[in-house]
Amino acid sequence: MASLNVYSALVVLFLTCGAAMATKENDQIIKDNNCETKMGLPSVLEAFTSIFETGTISSKCCSELVGLGKVCHSALVKRTLENPLFKDLSPARIIAKSIQTWNNCLALIDSLSPSA
């Protein structure tokens, strides 16, 4: 049960991530693009797990992630990495997983789209 509470806290941090600790550039990107309002919480959880832990992301959540846009996706991941709670994570590994998740979702969404 404790891991669920920690996980919930991490997700909340993924969404809000301590604006005071984030770079102004990422904050501005997130604000200008309304990034924090474009995905539902279940999809945020799946994306977070896929990037920061080990998990998969459903086609529904991939659709939401792609709808979020790469700029927002990247800014949110970078801002999360700036939080002291994630200081022990390898930024290079997380960025690589973030790119992999993005590319996998993009390929999945493309494969589900009807051909023109």
Side-chain angles (χ1 to χ4, degrees):
M1 242 357 175
S3 66
L4 180 59
N5 291 338
V6 170
Y7 184 66
S8 297
L10 293 177
V11 169
V12 169
L13 287 169
F14 181 64
L15 293 173
T16 58
C17 246
M21 296 175 219
T23 63
K24 289 181 181 181
E25 180 183 344
N26 286 328
D27 276 349
Q28 197 61 48
I29 290 168
I30 291 165
K31 181 181 176 185
D32 290 349
N33 293 287
N34 293 321
C35 298
E36 293 176 324
T37 63
K38 292 183 176 181
M39 285 180 73
L41 185 57
S43 293
V44 169
L45 289 169
E46 281 188 33
F48 182 91
T49 302
S50 176
I51 296 166
F52 287 87
E53 296 178 6
T54 302
T56 59
I57 185 167
S58 67
S59 59
K60 178 187 180 296
C61 293
C62 271
S63 179
E64 285 189 43
L65 182 64
V66 172
L68 174 70
K70 190 167 187 166
V71 169
C72 282
H73 171 69
S74 295
L76 288 166
V77 169
K78 288 175 186 173
R79 188 171 78 174
T80 301
L81 281 170
E82 293 167 352
N83 189 294
L85 286 175
F86 301 99
K87 69 179 188 233
D88 294 332
L89 297 179
S90 162
R93 184 170 99 26
I94 297 301
I95 297 295
K97 285 182 76 177
S98 168
I99 292 167
Q100 179 183 24
T101 298
W102 175 264
N103 288 340
N104 289 347
C105 282
L106 202 56
L108 177 64
I109 298 310
D110 285 347
S111 74
L112 296 175
S113 298
S115 299

